[in-house]
Amino acid sequence: MKKEQVVNCQFSVWYPLFKKHTIKSLILPIPQNVIDYLFDDGTLVVSGSENNSSQTQTNNSDSDEEDVQVCVCQFPDFKIRVQEAINVLGGRVFPKLNWSAPRDANWIALNSSLQCQSLCDIFLLFKSSDFITHDLTQPFLHCSDDSPDPTINYELVLRKWSELIPGAEFRCFVKENKIIAISQRDYTQHYQHIAKQEDSISSAILEFFRDHIQYQFPDEDFVLDVYRDSSGRVWLIDFNPFGEVTDSFLFTWEELTSGKNLTANQTQEDTALQEGPAFRYTTSEVTVQPSPCLSYRIPRDFLDLTTGEDAYKLIDFLKLVSEMGIKTTETRTSVEKERKLSHRLHSCT
Ligand SMILES: Nc1ncnc2c1ncn2[C@@H]1O[C@H](COP(=O)(O)OP(=O)(O)O)[C@@H](O)[C@H]1O
Ligand SMILES: [Mg+2]
């Protein structure tokens, strides 16, 4: 994979070319002070008051590390531009940086979703996401050329929020301007309709590709994400580099780059369109797997302990601490605290 290929997959490169076939979006250049803020590990996201930054919450933690709190009010012009764009897009947006969405951080949002209504929602997701950090720090990872990294102008991509059905999303691997493979995108789940409609899904995607994408993207090797809606219409979702930075789902990169014919588990009826690519989907409920983004979350126990969500877990944890004799002089106080806490928690529930 060449650096040029990564550059071409930036949202602002392909969106103007394929606007008609994808979800309505707006692209905002990110000012340097906002990029510095996103880069900085030690800052927290604090909404503060809409108009008065003096109402920003203070950090009450005992931690030695002083976290610097940055309020969105500190970027007033950017905040206004983002809010205007969100309003134009109907009030709810799906945010991305040049290449990636913060898919690994949805658990941190109050609504457990990537749906954002304000700059504060966006910052919370971006600052919690390893995928966003990848875009910021190593966008050219796995590139084979030694040339200096091209300059990147970071941009905030806001896409109109759309309720996409995961079973209707497909990833197409395009080599020398031909689709060589199609994979179900949400491969952890088994969707009955895919097997039933295999032929029509495949031909709808091939037709869409032939009519709107083929030879029109600046590269001949790339990975295309598409969505087939309930009326059978195919939409473009994203372009990704043809290489290891892109998830190969039900294929392996070895297979995709070997040049060998991939086995297609289908018969392509309309051979005039293109030779049938290999089409893989999850066939049986036995293969249901956990979501790939689960590993980015913090352990459930940890969350329950910090929020006091599960009183019994908290009590067990405190018991364990006292049993281990940590701070023996404080044991009695901690048992006392535990009793008080357990009393308080029980009276809350
Ligand atoms: N506009 C949107 N509204 C709601 N969900 C979206 C939208 N665009 C994409 N998604 C969902 O988010 C997922 C990731 O989007 P994508 O643009 O491919 O990001 P990435 O390149 O980081 O994987 C998609 O598979 C889709 O389920
Ligand atoms: Mg992508």
Side-chain angles (χ1 to χ4, degrees), residues 208-223:
F208 172 78
F209 176 74
R210 183 197 61 190
D211 293 347
H212 306 298
I213 311 286
Q214 200 173 26
Y215 307 116
Q216 296 180 45
F217 186 73
D219 242 299
E220 56 172 20
D221 299 344
F222 53 92
V223 177

Side-chain angles (χ1 to χ4, degrees), residues 133-190:
T133 306
H134 167 92
D135 278 17
L136 287 169
T137 57
Q138 43 183 353
F140 300 106
L141 185 75
H142 300 311
C143 286
S144 55
D145 42 351
D146 297 330
S147 57
D149 284 357
T151 313
I152 298 301
N153 296 316
Y154 281 101
E155 59 208 22
L156 174 64
V157 174
L158 300 176
R159 317 205 68 185
K160 190 181 172 62
W161 181 262
S162 317
E163 294 296 341
L164 303 179
I165 302 161
E169 294 189 75
F170 299 92
R171 174 159 285 183
C172 312
F173 300 87
V174 180
K175 185 125 189 65
E176 293 165 6
N177 262 313
K178 271 190 170 183
I179 298 187
I180 56 166
I182 302 174
S183 170
Q184 172 184 336
R185 188 159 181 189
D186 181 19
Y187 64 92
T188 59
Q189 303 292 317
H190 165 63

Side-chain angles (χ1 to χ4, degrees), residues 23 94 96 99-101 103 159-162 164 169 185 225 238 240:
I23 301 164
F94 173 85
K96 291 188 81 166
W99 296 273
S100 306
R103 280 183 296 119
R159 317 205 68 185
K160 190 181 172 62
W161 181 262
S162 317
L164 303 179
E169 294 189 75
R185 188 159 181 189
D225 292 322
D238 198 18
N240 311 276

Side-chain angles (χ1 to χ4, degrees), residues 271-286:
T271 44
L273 282 175
Q274 184 173 355
E275 270 187 0
F279 184 6
R280 291 190 189 161
Y281 48 86
T282 303
T283 49
S284 115
E285 325 246 357
V286 179

